[in-house]
Amino acid sequence: MTRPTREVDVLVVGAGPAGLAAAARLAAAGIARVDVLDREQHAGGVPRHCRHGGFGTWTHPLTGPAYARLLHTAAVRAGAVVRTGTTALDWAGPLALDTVGPQGLETVRARAVVLATGARERPRAARLVPGTRPDGVYTTGELQQAVHLYGQRIGTRAVVVGAESVSYAAADTVRAAGAQVVAMVTELPVSQTTAVRAHDARLRHRVPLLTDTTVTELLGHGRLSGVRVRHRDGRSVQLACDTVVFTGDFVPDHELARRGRLELDPGTRGPAVDGALHTSRPGVFAAGSLLHPVESAATATRDGVRVAAAVLESLAGAERPRHTVPLLVEPPLRWIAPNRVAPGDGHPYVLRTSALSKRPVLQVVQDGRVLHEERLRAAVPNRTLTLTAGWTRLVDPAGGPVRVTLTGR
């Protein structure tokens, strides 16, 4: 069967903050045909079900749904077409995708493609937590959708697995649903959010934080009846609860990039990109949480703005940098994004570490030459580290990989 084919200038896959911001900028710049696809029924991405604040700007703070509506409205008013309920199935050419939506099967050909497919939390099964398979087991996203989008009831006593910012957002949602947070559990020795937020949960909401503790088993048949946890000293106890929320541990939704055989970064597991967010395929760009699972919605929006500028240059005929070199990290750093660098790249980098470190030194080296060095106040797992880009002018495009390290000296 021959599929109908449609021609657009730019095809954006994903209607979260990065995709919508890119579409708004491109359409406002005069690109006539900008299409945004999203498999969900409504545009806006994760912020749609984040009923808490923390979005927008200091002078114009917003809740997640309000932020999602703002981005969607901006894209549509600029002239972009947002097609929800539409899934990109596979590549039909270097710059073409087969899709399926309310109108059926279709092939969309574009002059440029922006992948903004986001990231997801790993569920219980992927974390290899043993036990029964009862009801009452959620990720943060599943919990927030159940409570805020569909008004569903959850249990009455919940354990939240994790102690990073998204974990505290999950605890807020549990309380908004009228349930009690029995405990928050983290394998790490400290929480990984701000001190104010951690103290607020512990003192005002009386949520115990169990550090150095691992969930080892889910209990109950039909409905969850508890979780078994093990402390680092070997003690094992059972926490009675009917709900458990696995938070954090994000992985990119990179299936489309992988099927297109784009080069993937081994750290982020998203597409490898340079400072202008070019992927390894000419004409294909990537932005948002697909590249750094997961940063804030504001970071994703900035990515959208940045990738729009690169797409505009590409459509105008500008050549992409011919020589970029890999940007690699060494443990305890887990990843850096972007992960390729060209001389003069001007945007900052985001990094994550797997180990707690006080007053560490962040160092950038190429072929034994120190390009940059700075001392940080602290490095905390699951919290963003930022590396400025002033050193990129020193990169030798004919040299070896640029390595970023974090040392305790």
Side-chain angles (χ1 to χ4, degrees):
M1 183 178 70
T2 302
R3 302 179 187 218
T5 298
R6 193 158 47 82
E7 306 283 342
V8 300
D9 291 308
V10 182
L11 178 61
V12 180
V13 185
L20 291 174
R25 286 296 179 117
L26 289 164
I31 302 301
R33 299 169 298 177
V34 180
D35 261 27
V36 187
L37 310 182
D38 199 291
R39 63 191 176 194
E40 298 289 338
Q41 295 301 317
H42 301 281
V46 170
R48 286 185 306 118
H49 49 79
C50 296
R51 292 293 176 91
H52 52 78
F55 297 86
T57 65
W58 285 105
T59 56
H60 191 202
L62 297 170
T63 64
Y67 188 65
R69 286 194 297 272
L70 180 71
L71 293 173
H72 184 202
T73 300
V76 172
R77 283 183 176 172
V81 177
V82 181
R83 303 178 191 276
T84 56
T86 302
T87 301
L89 299 173
D90 207 348
W91 296 88
L95 295 176
L97 286 164
D98 286 334
T99 69
V100 61
Q103 305 305 318
L105 299 172
E106 188 177 46
T107 297
V108 184
R109 300 189 182 280
R111 297 167 61 200
V113 175
V114 176
L115 300 179
T117 48
R120 62 180 182 272
E121 290 170 295
R122 293 203 309 157
R124 168 264 183 105
R127 303 181 194 219
L128 304 179
V129 178
T132 56
R133 296 179 177 272
D135 291 337
V137 182
Y138 299 88
T139 62
T140 309
E142 292 169 343
L143 173 75
Q144 291 177 331
Q145 290 193 38
V147 173
H148 295 314
L149 292 187
Y150 305 115
Q152 296 174 346
R153 297 187 62 182
I154 63 169
T156 58
R157 292 169 56 83
V159 168
V160 175
V161 183
E164 52 188 290
S165 293
V166 68
S167 316
Y168 285 87
D172 292 342
T173 301
V174 168
R175 288 195 297 275
Q180 174 191 0
V181 181
V182 176
M184 299 183 72
V185 177
T186 176
E187 299 176 347
L188 298 170
V190 296
S191 68
Q192 302 107 59
T193 189
T194 64
V196 171
R197 195 167 195 181
H199 290 325
D200 181 71
R202 182 170 58 86
L203 299 176
R204 189 158 69 96
H205 299 296
R206 301 184 182 282
V207 177
L209 174 62
L210 306 182
T211 57
D212 293 321
T213 303
T214 305
V215 173
T216 57
E217 186 179 3
L218 302 189
L219 308 170
H221 296 277
R223 181 79 195 191
L224 186 77
S225 62
V227 298
R228 196 181 308 282
V229 300
R230 183 179 62 239
H231 299 282
R232 179 163 291 182
D233 60 10
R235 291 179 295 117
S236 180
V237 300
Q238 181 177 327
L239 302 177
C241 62
D242 55 17
T243 303
V244 61
V245 188
F246 290 93
T247 68
D249 198 359
F250 290 93
V251 293
D253 273 329
H254 65 177
E255 283 74 13
L256 206 55
R258 185 166 50 80
R259 290 191 64 82
R261 298 184 178 180
L262 304 183
E263 180 186 345
L264 301 182
D265 177 72
T268 64
R269 292 186 280 180
V273 292
D274 62 17
L277 307 184
H278 298 94
T279 70
S280 57
R281 178 181 296 175
V284 178
F285 301 77
S289 293
L290 172 65
L291 301 179
H292 35 66
V294 147
E295 293 296 319
S296 67
T299 302
T301 301
R302 286 194 292 271
D303 266 9
V305 173
R306 190 198 318 187
V307 81
V311 172
L312 288 171
E313 291 179 358
S314 175
L315 295 180
E319 292 187 5
R320 60 184 296 181
R322 292 186 177 181
H323 301 291
T324 62
V325 296
L327 186 56
L328 307 177
V329 296
E330 296 181 359
L333 292 172
R334 293 170 50 206
W335 53 253
I336 184 169
N339 27 55
R340 296 191 69 87
V341 58
D345 281 348
H347 293 279
Y349 299 80
V350 292
L351 308 92
R352 290 292 178 98
T353 180
S354 60
L356 181 66
S357 179
K358 294 183 179 179
R359 300 289 294 165
V361 174
L362 192 61
Q363 190 177 67
V364 183
V365 177
Q366 183 184 31
D367 299 330
R369 290 186 303 127
V370 177
L371 308 183
H372 176 76
E373 194 172 73
E374 67 178 289
R375 184 173 292 280
L376 308 178
R377 297 178 65 179
V380 180
N382 301 319
R383 292 188 65 177
T384 301
L385 300 174
T386 302
L387 173 63
T388 56
W391 51 271
T392 60
R393 68 185 187 282
L394 303 175
V395 170
D396 178 0
V402 173
R403 299 182 183 277
V404 183
T405 61
L406 192 69
T407 63
R409 63 182 174 83

